[in-house]
């Protein structure tokens, strides 16, 4: 086997992530590596915290990027907040709710699941019922924007419900951050994690994470030790807490953090509200075009994520053949269905830098041509 | 706070890692992102496995890069191989041996520590003694190249000892891979992890990991579930095992993997033996120069790592002042002491792309000027 340098083609990424990345972010990625304890790098990390706080709309002191993908961000929340025997209400309306349940079990917690159909949001009344049946539950965990279905849940109401019942919330904001409103402080959310490769349009591999002071209190009051060393946030904080006291925990992924800094700066300069409006406008364009082509959406309009459009594959259309054709002929990637929707739906992402008119136009035209070829 | 794009200076990295990165690797890093399930990307990952097997000198079927830094590679070994109640002999002669012990405890295992002085290698006779006192121990864990001290341990003899006693080995090869001989199959090592940012001269954030068939058997025979979802290698393998059956686990850090592919290709083209010889030759140059300047090494010559040179800070010399001067005046980073050696030693890395005559010359000259300024 003769191996040569890998020169990837220029794909247009309209799947569930990674999303299209702006040339500016890729350029930042390849800037010269400096040491992870270099004072200049430490300064950049302080700025990164400020930019992340803006994106999450929070004043939380605890604001970091986990040095690993969103799944590790999820696990960081559970291993730190769930102690053996803790009851956690987990809402399951797609792949990532199920992953949350797995995490609870692996932490020795007791998972009470609230089930909703794939493609529907988390039912607030079912959660209310679960809380009244399990008044000893300590945590409510749910996915804000289900990447497997494209359904948006009402994080504000769920957050308020948890607070009324003296519970903490763990919220998956992997696909929501930067694409739809997410107001961590206003909605009183406690542990919120995201991913770099969705609406932030940064390279995959980082998971922004914020914890409220109430979440920190629960971690500090733990009796059982945290089962993960790598994800033990009491140790990680020693590195991220800034200033000259910064202590070594692990070697930060320096270059990836450059690119996150750049991606967040782009978001800040555009303004969150403008970014949300752009996602919505591009979604509307795509929706009109898809409906003209006869596509039906998996999710009802009211709960639909603009950045993740799950549509049923039309009858008689070969899933793999069309997606391969789009990829090979147009360099266009759209996403396959996942879990219960595998083979039944496609997921078209309109995320971050990918939420542009030229991408929508290409996608619609290429889909039309591929379906009628 | 006005935040602008972060433009780092060009540092020369001669600390304990991250090491100097070749422009070729940084260029690979910023190539266009493709989807993590793109057939072309899957092909690149198959090549990456081949290149990693060469670097580790193994035919192990299980060969991946964990999507997180070396500490996560370490944790991946322990959470998968150690079940609650398992006895693990852990050799502690620096920071990373202690981290291994922490991992054993967090997995519910029983850690039997074999203690050696910082700066000395793991004592084979002490390990023999520990094994005879604990014949029920299932795993022997040790650090091949201690990044905190620069001491090389005899992985070949320790590996043979473990096999004679029907034990598995967990080996930290973070700083050894690519810098000194590491022969995973010949030495019969079972779980070996490394880091991208040392002698491979790739960006920080990835942890190459290989498992022997015996290690896989132990994982498959587990009764207790693996406490980490993210690091559960039985799940990760579904993604890395290749071909069209590739299943989604988490979004791979696409661009970082491009750069690892490129870094490993550079190593393959140079040849492992040549890379080892180059590290040794550059170490000799550095050693001569350092001795002329009056420096004393922490580690005896016999056990000294060429790629990580720990030297005592001369009496009367201000640690922080000199390192800051090197950084600010020469853009040269050398490493501070860690743990027991904090404030007492410096760690000068000669790793991967950084193991070049021009770096050695600069380091010696800049050190001389800084000490006498």
């Amino acid at each position: 086997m003769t191996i040569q340098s890998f020169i990837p083609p220029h794909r247009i990424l309209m799947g569930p992530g990674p999303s299209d990345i702006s040339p500016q972010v890729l350029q930042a990625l390849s800037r010269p590596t400096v040491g992870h304890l270099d004072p200049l790098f430490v300064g950049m990390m302080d700025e990164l915290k400020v930019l992340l706080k803006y994106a999450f709309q929070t004043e939380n002191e605890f604001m970091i990027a986990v040095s690993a993908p969103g799944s590790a961000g999820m696990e960081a929340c559970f291993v730190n907040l769930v102690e053996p025997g803790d009851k956690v209400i987990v809402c399951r309306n797609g792949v990532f709710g199920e992953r949350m349940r797995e995490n609870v079990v692996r932490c020795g917690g007791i998972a009470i699941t609230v089930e909703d159909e794939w493609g529907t949001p988390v039912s607030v009344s079912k959660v209310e019922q679960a809380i009244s049946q399990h008044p000893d539950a300590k945590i409510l965990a749910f996915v804000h924007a289900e990447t497997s279905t494209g359904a948006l849940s009402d994080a504000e109401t769920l957050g308020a419900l948890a607070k009324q019942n003296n519970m903490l919330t763990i919220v998956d904001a992997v696909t929501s951050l930067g694409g739809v409103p997410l107001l961590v402080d206003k909605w009183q959310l406690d542990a919120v994690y995201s991913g770099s490769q969705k609406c932030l349009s940064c390279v995959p591999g980082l998971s922004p994470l914020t914890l409220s002071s109430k979440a920190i209190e629960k971690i500090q009051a733990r009796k059982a030790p945290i089962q993960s060393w790598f994800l033990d946030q009491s140790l990680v904080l020693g590195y991220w807490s800034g200033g000259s006291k910064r202590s070594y925990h692990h070697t930060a992924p320096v270059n990836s953090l450059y690119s996150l800094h750049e991606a967040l700066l782009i978001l800040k300069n555009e303004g969150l509200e403008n970014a949300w409006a752009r996602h919505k406008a591009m979604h509307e364009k795509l929706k009109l075009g898809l409906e003209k082509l006869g596509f039906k959406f998996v999710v009802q309009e009211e709960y639909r994520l603009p950045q993740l459009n799950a549509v049923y594959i039309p009858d008689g259309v070969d899933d793999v053949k069309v997606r391969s054709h789009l990829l090979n002929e147009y360099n266009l990637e759209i996403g396959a269905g996942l879990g219960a929707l595998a083979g039944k739906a496609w997921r078209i992402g309109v995320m971050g830098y990918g939420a542009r008119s030229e991408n929508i136009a290409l996608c619609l035209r290429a889909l039309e041509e591929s379906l009628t070829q």
Side-chain angles (χ1 to χ4, degrees), chain A:
Chain A
M1 189 185 216
T2 305
I3 299 177
Q4 295 183 308
S5 290
F6 179 64
I7 312 291
H10 181 201
R11 303 291 204 203
I12 297 106
L13 301 176
M14 297 186 74
S19 59
D20 260 11
I21 297 177
S22 99
Q24 199 177 326
V25 172
L26 284 177
Q27 198 185 53
L29 183 66
S30 64
R31 291 192 180 123
T33 309
V34 299
H36 60 115
L37 297 167
D38 192 306
L40 294 176
F41 184 68
V42 168
M44 194 228 52
M45 283 175 79
D46 288 342
E47 291 184 353
L48 197 49
K49 273 176 77 163
V50 173
L51 293 167
L52 282 170
K53 285 182 184 185
Y54 170 72
F56 277 101
Q57 291 287 289
T58 183
E59 294 300 323
N60 283 344
E61 185 49 39
F62 187 101
M63 183 77 255
I64 69 161
V66 175
S67 305
S71 319
M74 178 190 285
E75 190 159 325
C77 292
F78 286 92
V79 294
N80 283 277
L81 287 171
V82 178
E83 283 191 89
D86 277 358
K87 222 178 236 189
V88 181
I89 295 178
V90 182
C91 306
R92 189 159 63 166
N93 62 335
V95 164
F96 297 93
E98 165 57 18
R99 190 171 294 182
M100 284 180 146
R101 191 198 61 78
E102 278 249 17
N103 267 275
V104 173
V105 173
R106 288 182 191 229
C107 294
I110 299 160
I112 310 296
T113 52
V114 171
E115 307 282 350
D116 280 293
E117 286 291 311
W118 281 53
T120 64
V122 172
S123 153
V124 173
S125 63
K126 284 187 192 169
V127 172
E128 275 178 327
Q129 206 181 338
I131 294 176
S132 69
Q133 282 168 357
H134 300 278
D136 55 336
K138 293 184 178 167
I139 295 172
L140 172 64
F142 64 89
V143 178
H144 186 208
E146 242 303 341
T147 320
S148 60
T149 67
L152 179 68
S153 290
D154 184 351
E156 180 171 15
T157 303
L158 291 168
L161 197 54
K163 280 301 143 240
Q164 285 156 26
N165 291 280
N166 205 23
M167 295 166 75
L168 294 177
T169 42
I170 295 179
V171 184
D172 180 317
V174 169
T175 290
S176 59
L177 184 70
V180 289
L182 169 69
L183 308 171
V184 168
D185 285 1
K186 189 162 174 238
W187 297 351
Q188 309 172 73
L189 309 176
D190 294 297
V192 189
Y193 61 91
S194 189
S196 47
Q197 80 286 9
K198 309 282 186 184
C199 296
L200 298 182
S201 273
C202 178
V203 287
L206 295 171
S207 180
L209 167 66
T210 188
L211 297 175
S212 71
S213 55
K214 284 220 180 304
I216 301 280
E217 276 167 30
K218 180 153 188 347
I219 295 172
Q220 286 171 339
R222 281 183 71 103
K223 288 187 188 75
I226 292 166
Q227 66 192 32
S228 170
W229 187 90
F230 175 60
L231 297 173
D232 183 337
Q233 297 307 303
S234 62
L235 299 176
V236 172
L237 202 56
Y239 178 61
W240 276 82
S241 62
S244 55
K245 293 166 300 177
R246 193 161 294 237
S247 65
Y248 165 66
H249 179 258
H250 63 270
T251 305
V254 174
N255 291 68
S256 295
L257 291 169
Y258 292 169
S259 67
L260 183 61
H261 182 277
E262 191 71 25
L264 288 164
L265 192 56
I266 291 172
L267 179 63
K268 177 110 196 294
N269 289 341
E270 178 178 18
L272 267 177
E273 289 78 5
N274 294 331
W276 299 333
R278 178 170 51 82
H279 281 90
K280 202 164 182 328
M282 291 301 120
H283 161 75
E284 292 296 334
K285 269 199 187 186
L286 179 71
K287 187 189 76 171
L288 272 179
L290 287 174
E291 284 173 349
K292 267 194 198 149
L293 292 174
F295 281 98
K296 303 265 177 270
F297 277 80
V298 171
V299 178
Q300 277 187 34
E301 189 142 15
E302 194 179 350
Y303 311 114
R304 217 174 270 168
L305 285 169
Q307 64 270 46
L308 201 281
N309 298 269
V311 290
Y312 290 109
I313 301 168
D315 285 342
V317 168
D318 187 324
D319 173 17
V320 176
K321 198 177 146 198
V322 171
R323 282 191 294 108
S324 300
H325 185 71
L326 290 172
L327 195 66
N328 297 328
E329 186 65 26
Y330 303 90
N331 274 305
L332 174 64
E333 177 179 277
I334 65 167
L338 191 61
L341 293 172
K344 295 182 189 157
W346 288 328
R347 291 177 298 157
I348 304 177
V350 179
M351 296 179 178
Y353 180 67
R356 314 198 302 291
S357 292
E358 53 268 50
N359 275 20
I360 307 295
L362 165 70
C363 179
L364 288 172
R365 182 70 193 195
L367 258 180
E368 188 176 2
E369 289 178 12
S370 301
L371 289 174
T372 55
Q373 66 165 324

CSV table of all heavy atoms in Angstrom, one decimal, chain A residues 18-36:
chain,number,residue,atom,x,y,z
A,18,PRO,N,-20.0,17.5,10.4
A,18,PRO,CA,-19.5,18.9,10.4
A,18,PRO,C,-20.1,19.7,9.3
A,18,PRO,O,-20.5,19.2,8.2
A,18,PRO,CB,-18.0,18.7,10.1
A,18,PRO,CG,-17.9,17.3,9.5
A,18,PRO,CD,-19.0,16.5,10.1
A,19,SER,N,-20.2,21.0,9.5
A,19,SER,CA,-20.8,22.0,8.6
A,19,SER,C,-19.7,22.6,7.8
A,19,SER,O,-18.5,22.5,8.1
A,19,SER,CB,-21.6,23.0,9.3
A,19,SER,OG,-20.8,23.7,10.2
A,20,ASP,N,-20.1,23.4,6.8
A,20,ASP,CA,-19.2,24.2,6.0
A,20,ASP,C,-18.4,25.1,6.9
A,20,ASP,O,-18.9,25.7,7.8
A,20,ASP,CB,-19.9,25.1,5.0
A,20,ASP,CG,-19.9,24.5,3.6
A,20,ASP,OD1,-19.5,23.3,3.4
A,20,ASP,OD2,-20.3,25.2,2.7
A,21,ILE,N,-17.1,25.2,6.7
A,21,ILE,CA,-16.2,26.0,7.5
A,21,ILE,C,-15.7,27.1,6.6
A,21,ILE,O,-15.2,26.9,5.5
A,21,ILE,CB,-15.0,25.1,8.0
A,21,ILE,CG1,-15.6,24.0,8.9
A,21,ILE,CG2,-14.0,26.0,8.8
A,21,ILE,CD1,-14.6,23.1,9.5
A,22,SER,N,-15.7,28.3,7.2
A,22,SER,CA,-15.2,29.5,6.4
A,22,SER,C,-13.7,29.4,6.2
A,22,SER,O,-13.0,28.9,7.1
A,22,SER,CB,-15.6,30.8,7.1
A,22,SER,OG,-14.6,31.3,7.8
A,23,PRO,N,-13.2,29.9,5.1
A,23,PRO,CA,-11.7,29.9,4.9
A,23,PRO,C,-11.0,30.6,6.0
A,23,PRO,O,-9.9,30.2,6.3
A,23,PRO,CB,-11.6,30.7,3.6
A,23,PRO,CG,-12.9,30.6,2.9
A,23,PRO,CD,-13.9,30.5,4.0
A,24,GLN,N,-11.6,31.6,6.6
A,24,GLN,CA,-11.0,32.4,7.7
A,24,GLN,C,-10.7,31.5,8.9
A,24,GLN,O,-9.7,31.6,9.6
A,24,GLN,CB,-12.0,33.5,8.0
A,24,GLN,CG,-11.5,34.6,8.8
A,24,GLN,CD,-12.7,35.7,9.0
A,24,GLN,OE1,-13.5,35.8,8.1
A,24,GLN,NE2,-12.6,36.3,10.1
A,25,VAL,N,-11.7,30.6,9.2
A,25,VAL,CA,-11.5,29.7,10.3
A,25,VAL,C,-10.4,28.6,10.0
A,25,VAL,O,-9.6,28.3,10.9
A,25,VAL,CB,-12.9,29.0,10.7
A,25,VAL,CG1,-12.7,27.9,11.7
A,25,VAL,CG2,-13.8,30.1,11.2
A,26,LEU,N,-10.4,28.1,8.8
A,26,LEU,CA,-9.4,27.1,8.4
A,26,LEU,C,-8.0,27.8,8.5
A,26,LEU,O,-7.0,27.2,8.8
A,26,LEU,CB,-9.6,26.6,7.0
A,26,LEU,CG,-10.7,25.5,6.9
A,26,LEU,CD1,-11.0,25.1,5.5
A,26,LEU,CD2,-10.5,24.3,7.8
A,27,GLN,N,-7.9,29.1,8.1
A,27,GLN,CA,-6.7,29.8,8.1
A,27,GLN,C,-6.2,29.9,9.6
A,27,GLN,O,-5.0,29.7,9.9
A,27,GLN,CB,-6.9,31.1,7.5
A,27,GLN,CG,-5.6,31.8,7.1
A,27,GLN,CD,-5.9,33.2,6.5
A,27,GLN,OE1,-6.5,34.0,7.2
A,27,GLN,NE2,-5.4,33.5,5.4
A,28,ALA,N,-7.1,30.3,10.5
A,28,ALA,CA,-6.7,30.4,11.9
A,28,ALA,C,-6.2,29.1,12.4
A,28,ALA,O,-5.3,29.0,13.2
A,28,ALA,CB,-8.0,30.9,12.7
A,29,LEU,N,-6.8,28.0,12.0
A,29,LEU,CA,-6.5,26.7,12.4
A,29,LEU,C,-5.0,26.3,12.2
A,29,LEU,O,-4.3,25.7,13.0
A,29,LEU,CB,-7.3,25.6,11.7
A,29,LEU,CG,-7.2,24.2,12.0
A,29,LEU,CD1,-7.6,23.9,13.5
A,29,LEU,CD2,-8.0,23.3,11.1
A,30,SER,N,-4.5,26.8,11.1
A,30,SER,CA,-3.1,26.4,10.7
A,30,SER,C,-2.0,27.5,11.1
A,30,SER,O,-0.9,27.4,10.6
A,30,SER,CB,-3.0,26.2,9.2
A,30,SER,OG,-3.3,27.3,8.5
A,31,ARG,N,-2.4,28.4,12.0
A,31,ARG,CA,-1.4,29.3,12.5
A,31,ARG,C,-0.4,28.6,13.3
A,31,ARG,O,-0.7,27.5,13.9
A,31,ARG,CB,-2.1,30.5,13.2
A,31,ARG,CG,-2.9,31.4,12.3
A,31,ARG,CD,-3.3,32.7,12.9
A,31,ARG,NE,-4.1,33.4,11.9
A,31,ARG,CZ,-5.4,33.8,12.0
A,31,ARG,NH1,-6.0,33.6,13.1
A,31,ARG,NH2,-6.0,34.4,11.0
A,32,PRO,N,0.8,29.1,13.5
A,32,PRO,CA,1.9,28.4,14.2
A,32,PRO,C,1.4,28.0,15.6
A,32,PRO,O,0.9,28.8,16.4
A,32,PRO,CB,3.0,29.4,14.3
A,32,PRO,CG,2.7,30.4,13.2
A,32,PRO,CD,1.3,30.4,13.0
A,33,THR,N,1.7,26.7,16.0
A,33,THR,CA,1.4,26.2,17.3
A,33,THR,C,2.3,26.9,18.3
A,33,THR,O,3.5,27.0,18.1
A,33,THR,CB,1.6,24.7,17.3
A,33,THR,OG1,0.9,24.1,16.2
A,33,THR,CG2,1.1,24.1,18.6
A,34,VAL,N,1.6,27.3,19.4
A,34,VAL,CA,2.4,27.8,20.6
A,34,VAL,C,2.2,26.9,21.7
A,34,VAL,O,1.3,26.0,21.7
A,34,VAL,CB,2.1,29.3,21.0
A,34,VAL,CG1,2.3,30.2,19.8
A,34,VAL,CG2,0.6,29.4,21.4
A,35,GLY,N,3.0,27.0,22.8
A,35,GLY,CA,2.8,26.1,24.0
A,35,GLY,C,1.5,26.4,24.7
A,35,GLY,O,0.9,27.5,24.6
A,36,HIS,N,0.9,25.4,25.3
A,36,HIS,CA,-0.4,25.5,25.9
A,36,HIS,C,-0.3,26.3,27.2
A,36,HIS,O,-1.4,26.6,27.8
A,36,HIS,CB,-1.1,24.2,26.1
A,36,HIS,CG,-0.3,23.2,27.0
A,36,HIS,ND1,-0.7,22.8,28.2
A,36,HIS,CD2,0.9,22.7,26.8
A,36,HIS,CE1,0.1,22.0,28.7
A,36,HIS,NE2,1.2,21.9,27.9
